Amino acid sequence: MAMDGEIYSNTYKSAIETSRLAVDDLKEFWRSSLLNENNIGELELCVVELLNNTFEHAYDGKDGQLIEVVSRCNESKVLVDISHFGSSMSQEEFHSVLEADFIAPDPNDPETWVTSGRGFMILAALLDEIELTQEGDKSTFTLIKRVQRELSPYR
């Protein structure tokens, strides 16, 4: 793990518990960067969701695959890059899941109980921007959130 001023960088191996390990490291970095707890909570939810999606979809639940996590903070925003080398999502699929309408579960209609695809709705609701870039076999999701910093480390 590297924390160099306002940049955090680490690699993880895919596993069901990876999202919790990574977000614990990121929360330490974000707190040291004086982010407020509301922003940290929202970023935590987004990172956990995307890392779980990476494990489940990009790596098809396979343990031990490489995931790169980088976070950068400046005065007004936080960026988090989550990169993997597994199955990629097309730009069309990416934009489609970001723009999908939320369908409230209907107790009388089991087809509305599906949870798949709702994670990106959470991301779209809590973040200011989400980008997907692909270079060779590497896919990177960039999460961008405008934030407020605390005035003092003594909250």
Side-chain angles (χ1 to χ4, degrees), residues 84-105:
H84 68 79
F85 300 86
S87 299
S88 60
M89 172 183 267
S90 72
Q91 289 292 330
E92 294 78 24
E93 291 171 306
F94 174 65
H95 290 291
S96 177
V97 295
L98 286 178
E99 296 168 2
D101 291 326
F102 177 76
I103 299 171

Side-chain angles (χ1 to χ4, degrees), residues 60-108:
D60 201 26
K62 185 175 178 188
D63 288 344
Q65 304 304 302
L66 183 65
I67 299 172
E68 298 173 350
V69 177
V70 176
S71 184
R72 300 173 302 283
C73 298
N74 65 31
E75 290 305 313
S76 62
K77 61 182 145 177
V78 173
L79 291 86
V80 181
D81 293 328
I82 298 174
S83 301
H84 68 79
F85 300 86
S87 299
S88 60
M89 172 183 267
S90 72
Q91 289 292 330
E92 294 78 24
E93 291 171 306
F94 174 65
H95 290 291
S96 177
V97 295
L98 286 178
E99 296 168 2
D101 291 326
F102 177 76
I103 299 171
D106 178 350
N108 299 316

Side-chain angles (χ1 to χ4, degrees), residues 38-140:
N38 288 337
N39 291 148
I40 289 172
E42 291 177 353
L43 285 163
E44 175 182 11
L45 180 59
C46 293
V47 169
V48 165
E49 184 61 41
L50 195 50
L51 286 171
N52 287 341
N53 278 355
T54 298
F55 174 67
E56 182 179 340
H57 299 290
Y59 290 131
D60 201 26
K62 185 175 178 188
D63 288 344
Q65 304 304 302
L66 183 65
I67 299 172
E68 298 173 350
V69 177
V70 176
S71 184
R72 300 173 302 283
C73 298
N74 65 31
E75 290 305 313
S76 62
K77 61 182 145 177
V78 173
L79 291 86
V80 181
D81 293 328
I82 298 174
S83 301
H84 68 79
F85 300 86
S87 299
S88 60
M89 172 183 267
S90 72
Q91 289 292 330
E92 294 78 24
E93 291 171 306
F94 174 65
H95 290 291
S96 177
V97 295
L98 286 178
E99 296 168 2
D101 291 326
F102 177 76
I103 299 171
D106 178 350
N108 299 316
D109 183 0
E111 290 189 23
T112 64
W113 302 351
V114 176
T115 59
S116 181
R118 293 186 185 198
F120 277 96
M121 289 181 210
I122 292 169
L123 297 176
L126 295 178
L127 298 169
D128 294 296
E129 296 175 56
I130 310 163
E131 299 171 355
L132 170 61
T133 55
Q134 294 160 321
E135 294 179 34
D137 62 347
K138 181 178 183 178
S139 296
T140 302

